[in-house]
Amino acid sequence: MTTILDGIEAQVVQTDRLTASVLRRTPEGATGAPVVLIHGNVSSSLFWQPLMLALPRPTIAIDLRGFGDSETLPVDATRGLRDFSDDVAAVLDALGVAGAHVVGWSMGGGVVMQLLLDRPDLVRSLTLQAPVPPQGFGTRLDGSLCTPDAAGTGGGGANADFVARLAAGDTSAGEQTSPRSVYRASYVAPGFSDEHEDLWVESMLSTKTGEDNHPGDGVASDSWPGFAAGDRGILNTMSAKHLDLTGIVDAAEKPAILWVRGAHDAIVGDESFFDFHTLGKHGIVPGWPGEEAAPPQQMIAQTRAVLEQYAANGGAYEEVVFEHAGHSPHLEDPARFQQLLLAHAEAAERS
């Protein structure tokens, strides 16, 4: 049974693409465009509930396909993140939402950048929390591929024991690869805890596993570390083999972007241990061919460079670092995140 906090409504939305599950809240007297919340990989709309309860605006949190209570459908990684962004657009169309303040977290940050490219009419402002780098994974600082097949990225790099524990619904904390342990080590900064940890683990365990969902398939590669991105499933959608969101710099419509990140983010960083090139550099994966062939990806620097170009081409962005947070500032410093998000939305509506 999905845990829904008091004050939030769960709704099933039928679209021509999928049957989607959404969470909604409309506070009494609330006005203005809604805030639309898009989760990341190995999570669901459940992660947004405390934020929804705190915001004075209408809020909509959407479960992406294969997560939460939305329909489980295959993910075509050759489209990058478009299967997800098209689903989001279909849900908003079905709900009659003409424009929203859209928030994307981690993989969801990439989803909402793709939404801006394909359906700018739906995006009044954009908030990116710890987003996937716009170039996708497997690139050098300038965005060029390290190898033609983006070796070291995609479904082949997933930890098989973690995936098996997701599929088994493991709620324990005894092993490093249990979802609860991964949450503690990777989703938040060291030492963070709150009263909702069981809810966060429940959200993670809603992830559907397999080659068409998480993690996806993989293929052999002649380049180190011996595998590359396949064409099916979630991790492959974010490989630079399939994903390129840098087109936002030339978007005709450029809503203001708020970029929020934690200084202790273990997943998205300039030398993340979720990057096989970093693992090779530190001797965790043997045979690393060196910095020139396989440099650890500079994810923060890449995002900043793209957003600087976005601003130079007529847009605007603000980068805010939460000094004591990890991958989830909206959980780790909720009051500050709420304040920033509201100010960002209100400024967009005044402009």
Side-chain angles (χ1 to χ4, degrees):
M1 187 71 179
T2 301
T3 303
I4 307 298
L5 301 182
D6 288 345
I8 293 176
E9 173 194 1
Q11 180 179 353
V12 175
V13 179
Q14 186 65 53
T15 79
D16 59 359
R17 290 185 54 80
L18 82 165
T19 302
S21 175
V22 304
L23 300 182
R24 302 189 71 174
R25 178 174 180 265
T26 303
E28 186 175 350
T31 59
V35 174
V36 171
L37 303 161
I38 307 300
H39 65 81
N41 189 23
V42 193
S43 64
S44 73
S45 62
L46 297 183
F47 267 100
W48 295 117
Q49 290 187 91
L51 175 63
M52 296 174 73
L53 290 171
L55 291 176
R57 284 179 168 270
T59 52
I60 303 168
I62 301 172
D63 283 336
L64 299 174
R65 63 172 60 194
F67 296 96
D69 291 327
S70 281
E71 187 176 2
T72 301
L73 294 172
V75 176
D76 179 359
T78 66
R79 305 186 71 229
L81 289 164
R82 275 194 172 94
D83 272 358
F84 295 126
S85 61
D86 286 352
D87 290 348
V88 169
V91 170
L92 296 181
D93 287 343
L95 292 174
V97 175
H101 302 288
V102 184
V103 182
W105 174 30
S106 195
M107 180 184 79
V111 173
V112 301
M113 281 188 270
Q114 188 66 62
L115 186 70
L116 173 60
L117 286 169
D118 295 339
R119 288 293 304 276
D121 58 298
L122 295 174
V123 184
R124 295 193 180 185
S125 73
L126 198 59
T127 298
L128 306 174
Q129 178 179 246
V132 57
Q135 298 86 345
F137 294 114
T139 67
R140 303 178 188 280
L141 181 58
D142 64 2
S144 61
L145 283 163
C146 294
T147 64
D149 59 356
T153 69
N159 183 293
D161 193 57
F162 172 64
V163 175
R165 289 174 183 275
L166 281 178
D170 181 5
T171 62
S172 72
E175 300 293 335
Q176 282 189 324
T177 52
S178 76
R180 190 179 299 271
S181 296
V182 170
Y183 163 78
R184 292 175 179 175
S186 305
Y187 282 47
V188 293
F192 174 82
S193 64
D194 67 9
E195 71 274 25
H196 294 303
E197 183 176 277
D198 286 346
L199 180 58
W200 310 148
V201 174
E202 176 186 338
S203 180
M204 295 172 72
L205 291 174
S206 76
T207 303
K208 308 309 185 292
T209 59
E211 289 194 333
D212 282 321
N213 297 104
H214 180 80
D217 64 348
V219 298
S221 175
D222 292 334
S223 300
W224 181 90
F227 70 90
D231 293 337
R232 299 160 58 195
I234 288 160
L235 293 188
N236 297 309
T237 67
M238 294 177 278
S239 168
K241 176 182 176 183
H242 301 305
L243 185 66
D244 181 1
L245 301 166
T246 60
I248 64 170
V249 304
D250 297 316
E253 301 292 332
K254 290 189 175 67
I257 294 177
L258 171 64
W259 173 27
V260 175
R261 62 183 183 87
H264 303 282
D265 193 334
I267 296 174
V268 176
D270 278 349
E271 197 161 308
S272 167
F273 279 86
F274 280 71
D275 176 5
F276 264 77
H277 291 184
T278 301
L279 298 177
K281 178 178 179 178
H282 290 269
I284 298 168
V285 176
W288 182 58
E291 195 92 29
E292 184 174 344
Q297 188 162 349
Q298 303 295 296
M299 303 176 195
I300 302 301
Q302 288 179 323
T303 299
R304 187 179 297 117
V306 169
L307 294 181
E308 287 285 352
Q309 190 60 51
Y310 184 85
N313 287 4
Y317 88 96
E318 179 183 10
E319 176 184 356
V320 180
V321 181
F322 282 47
E323 293 296 342
H324 302 291
H327 193 59
S328 313
H330 75 291
L331 302 182
E332 298 168 89
D333 193 346
R336 185 184 182 197
F337 187 86
Q338 294 154 21
Q339 182 181 30
L340 285 168
L341 176 57
L342 284 173
H344 182 57
E346 289 164 3
E349 292 189 351
R350 290 193 302 268
S351 63

